[in-house]
Amino acid sequence: MSSEHVESTHGTHDTHSAHSVHSAHGDGDDTAMALKILVAGGFGAGKTTLVGAVSDIRPLRTEEPLSEAGRGLDDTEGVARKTASTVAMDFGRITIHAGLSLYLFGTPGQDRFWFLWDELSEGALAAVVLADTRRLEDCFAAVDYFERRRIPFVVAVNRFPGARAYAAQDVSHALDLDRGTPVVLCDARDRDSGKDVLIRTVEYAGRMHTARLLDAVG
């Protein structure tokens, strides 16, 4: 996929709501809903891996090798084997079922690139916050960001080999999540596991947006 196509797609979501329905084939009969989902989390949590594992198209990646200068700014404890990092965004697309596609935008994890989050989150239906239990504190910024902006999100605990296993309720308590915020376990390398996370995210976002609409008219 060319960068021009991605920029066009991104611009569409900046202009129109993520809930908008458009014709998938331009014939006015077959319609498809395209929803924008963010994939966020700390440095090295598996965002690029998840987007790449589930995407139906070749994902767009903006990874650059870690430099010695950058190592002084990026905390690589626990992810010492990581050699590259996303500096702008990852982009992928997955068709959940006929009539529903998700556009996935992976956010950069390092603090110095957080200024991009506001633009990436424009028009997003919901988000996935990937968590690494070896560096759980790295999730705090993403959790706070989405809670403040009232963007529904699901915490997906990426099960790294050798990492200590924690129950979902323990992770929820450690992150001080709002009541009802889902916490699911996943393997970011596995397509089916990642797809399950995205389905849970869309379902949860649907319930949250419906509840807010009912509150608004009530």
Side-chain angles (χ1 to χ4, degrees):
M1 171 173 284
S2 68
S3 58
E4 290 81 7
H5 178 81
V6 173
E7 288 172 359
S8 175
T9 300
H10 191 190
T12 299
H13 283 276
D14 285 344
T15 305
H16 303 288
S17 167
H19 307 277
S20 63
V21 180
H22 59 85
S23 174
H25 304 290
D27 56 12
D29 295 324
D30 297 324
T31 58
M33 179 176 289
L35 304 176
K36 183 177 182 180
I37 304 293
L38 297 186
V39 180
F43 179 62
K47 301 179 292 295
T48 299
T49 299
L50 177 64
V51 172
V54 302
S55 182
D56 295 330
I57 62 173
R58 182 177 180 179
L60 171 70
R61 293 172 175 168
T62 58
E63 287 194 311
E64 294 291 340
L66 293 176
S67 65
E68 287 303 317
R71 290 185 186 278
L73 299 172
D74 301 322
D75 180 9
T76 58
E77 183 178 355
V79 290
R81 297 175 63 183
K82 187 172 176 62
T83 60
S85 178
T86 298
V87 296
M89 68 173 184
D90 299 310
F91 175 81
R93 186 188 70 211
I94 179 174
T95 299
I96 298 298
H97 56 68
L100 176 59
S101 296
L102 305 181
Y103 289 165
L104 308 176
F105 288 79
T107 66
Q110 305 98 307
D111 297 8
R112 65 184 184 277
F113 296 123
W114 281 351
F115 67 91
L116 295 170
W117 283 39
D118 286 343
E119 182 178 355
L120 291 175
S121 65
E122 183 70 27
L125 173 77
V128 174
V129 176
L130 273 174
D132 178 353
T133 57
R134 301 168 302 177
R135 297 158 56 98
L136 198 58
E137 65 278 4
D138 288 359
C139 291
F140 290 153
V143 168
D144 182 65
Y145 182 91
F146 296 125
E147 286 183 344
R148 286 178 179 271
R149 287 159 180 79
R150 301 188 73 210
I151 298 175
F153 67 93
V154 167
V155 173
V157 180
N158 192 8
R159 293 175 289 188
F160 285 90
R164 181 178 175 182
Y166 292 90
Q169 58 266 31
D170 294 332
V171 174
S172 179
H173 179 73
L175 294 176
D176 192 26
L177 299 177
D178 290 341
R179 184 176 180 181
T181 302
V183 177
V184 298
L185 305 179
C186 76
D187 182 341
R189 303 166 298 180
D190 183 77
R191 176 179 170 84
D192 289 338
S193 180
K195 186 174 180 178
D196 287 343
V197 170
L198 294 172
I199 291 173
R200 287 284 301 273
T201 302
V202 172
E203 291 175 344
Y204 175 64
R207 293 195 300 270
M208 290 294 292
H209 285 294
T210 298
R212 290 171 184 174
L213 284 173
L214 292 175
D215 286 343
V217 299

